[in-house]
Amino acid sequence: MAFKESKYTIKDNQQAAIFFGSGDENFHYLQEISDAELSARGADIYVSGPAEQVDHTMQLIADLMDVVESEGQLNLNDIGYLDKLLKKGDRPGYKDIVSGTLVTTSRGKAIKARTIGQKRYVQAILRDDVVFGIGPAGTGKTYLAVAMAVRALRNKEVERIILVRPAVEAGEKLGFLPGDFIEKVNPYLRPLYDGLFDILGVDVTQRYLEKNIIEIAPLAYMRGRTLNSAFIILDEAQNTTPQQMKMFLTRLGFGSQTVITGDVTQVDLPRDEYSGLIEIQKILGNIKGISFEYLGKEDVVRHPLVQKIINAYELFQAIE
């Protein structure tokens, strides 16, 4: 295969600083995943090796610069994700992946869909009243659901947000936890709280909780209620039983929307209990107005090692 050398020059010093990252973290990661040789001198990036690999790396650098120009930031997830798309032969372009700002956090950070799977998920939430977001840890399914709930609240599309989780974690039950009702439930709702705190800020979140604009509840406390003008999120839905899932879905009232999230590979129910999230895909798969969106390991937006961990577990389970 022919040997090739190419050079990419970043003409804006500020953009160069973003591209290379703190302590050149981004550039070192790019060197690690590239099959070509990369070096840098100032804002000049030199790429050498087999022609095909050099072309791939130069195209990846150009796509990453699109991210820098569009977002004013670049992280390891962006690098790994766009590299995988290119290697698969997909090149939609970063600007076609992001869905525009969904909501702005209290600190002015713009929240956007950052993968193709996330964009489909967000579009489904905008389109349908009942959306299931199913996928492994780190794919943003819960965080994006919270962001879309805040967006709907700010746009006055709903009057309140209701956060629900089954109180089933690795065999533990509420009765074994110390404290009153809220103190018992809080540990199970912490991921939802984290999303709210990040988007709304702690003070606004606390004020909304006090005014019941945001409500938290374990799944068992939803029985017998009808929820109108609300954005309802059921998180960790793989830990619902079929009966609980049916009960929850029939709570939906006028002007309400619900997003159900879960990871069917992490069911913590007793062995003799069947997951309602697994069953419901067979029951509601063809109903208009209900969407099932599946996020995969390629949509993971956490540390790059999370994707490797998911891959390792999949390989281990396949061998077993």
Side-chain angles (χ1 to χ4, degrees):
M1 186 178 293
F3 184 83
K4 186 174 182 179
E5 293 180 322
S6 295
K7 182 177 82 169
Y8 190 100
T9 300
I10 305 174
K11 297 178 181 178
D12 184 293
N13 289 335
Q14 185 176 358
Q15 289 183 352
I18 295 169
F19 179 88
F20 282 96
S22 177
D24 289 341
E25 177 186 43
N26 290 340
F27 188 68
H28 291 324
Y29 182 60
L30 186 58
Q31 287 177 309
E32 179 186 328
I33 65 173
S34 177
D35 292 323
E37 293 293 324
L38 279 85
S39 61
R41 190 157 51 247
D44 293 329
I45 302 170
Y46 298 91
V47 185
S48 61
E52 184 178 342
Q53 302 305 329
V54 170
D55 291 342
H56 170 89
T57 302
M58 290 294 289
Q59 184 60 67
L60 177 58
I61 292 171
D63 287 350
L64 293 173
M65 284 305 301
D66 280 345
V67 180
V68 172
E69 292 171 8
S70 300
E71 303 293 298
Q73 61 181 10
L74 182 70
N75 59 47
L76 303 186
N77 290 311
D78 295 327
I79 298 170
Y81 182 65
L82 289 175
D83 180 57
K84 286 184 175 67
L85 284 183
L86 272 178
K87 285 177 177 174
K88 285 167 52 181
D90 296 334
R91 191 173 172 264
Y94 186 81
K95 293 175 183 177
D96 295 323
I97 296 171
V98 295
S99 58
T101 299
L102 305 174
V103 70
T104 304
T105 71
S106 59
R107 294 170 294 175
K109 175 186 173 185
I111 298 174
K112 302 181 179 184
R114 303 190 71 85
T115 71
I116 293 172
Q118 286 188 352
K119 185 173 182 178
R120 285 199 309 264
Y121 179 46
V122 166
Q123 288 173 335
I125 295 173
L126 290 170
R127 183 184 65 241
D128 295 321
D129 287 336
V130 178
V131 176
F132 291 82
I134 301 172
T139 51
K141 55 189 184 295
T142 300
Y143 187 82
L144 286 174
V146 172
M148 295 301 286
V150 171
R151 180 182 185 276
L153 185 66
R154 285 179 176 173
N155 291 344
K156 302 189 185 310
E157 296 167 9
V158 297
E159 296 175 359
R160 55 187 175 147
I161 297 171
I162 300 175
L163 310 176
V164 184
R165 248 189 169 202
V168 179
E169 298 286 337
E172 297 175 359
K173 297 184 183 296
L174 283 177
F176 294 102
L177 295 175
D180 60 19
F181 164 72
I182 293 298
E183 290 171 330
K184 288 174 182 287
V185 174
N186 276 351
Y188 295 96
L189 293 155
R190 180 52 54 188
L192 298 172
Y193 270 124
D194 290 343
L196 287 169
F197 288 159
D198 187 48
I199 297 166
L200 288 172
V202 175
D203 291 342
V204 173
T205 300
Q206 295 289 8
R207 187 164 69 249
Y208 282 1
L209 286 166
E210 290 168 6
K211 293 182 176 180
N212 215 31
I213 295 172
I214 296 176
E215 178 186 348
I216 60 171
L219 181 58
Y221 282 68
M222 302 299 288
R223 191 174 299 279
R225 301 181 62 183
T226 300
L227 306 173
N228 296 316
S229 300
F231 195 115
I232 312 143
I233 299 171
L234 172 59
D235 193 35
E236 297 290 330
Q238 74 275 7
N239 289 330
T240 63
T241 65
Q243 294 79 12
Q244 287 174 325
M245 180 64 78
K246 179 181 179 182
M247 178 273 292
F248 173 79
L249 290 172
T250 53
R251 300 307 93 201
L252 194 65
F254 292 107
S256 288
Q257 179 173 10
T258 187
V259 177
I260 300 100
T261 69
D263 178 359
V264 293
T265 68
Q266 294 192 34
V267 177
D268 296 315
L269 292 168
R271 289 185 179 275
D272 58 345
E273 294 274 14
Y274 191 64
S275 170
L277 183 60
I278 294 175
E279 181 187 77
I280 204 68
Q281 297 172 70
K282 306 170 186 175
I283 298 173
L284 301 182
N286 297 316
I287 296 182
K288 189 175 181 180
I290 298 176
S291 290
F292 287 86
E293 296 300 327
Y294 297 91
L295 297 158
K297 57 192 176 185
E298 64 276 6
D299 298 301
V300 169
V301 289
R302 290 183 184 169
H303 193 288
L305 279 176
V306 174
Q307 287 190 356
K308 295 181 180 180
I309 290 168
I310 293 169
N311 287 338
Y313 268 100
E314 288 180 351
L315 180 61
F316 176 75
Q317 290 165 353
I319 293 172
E320 280 195 326

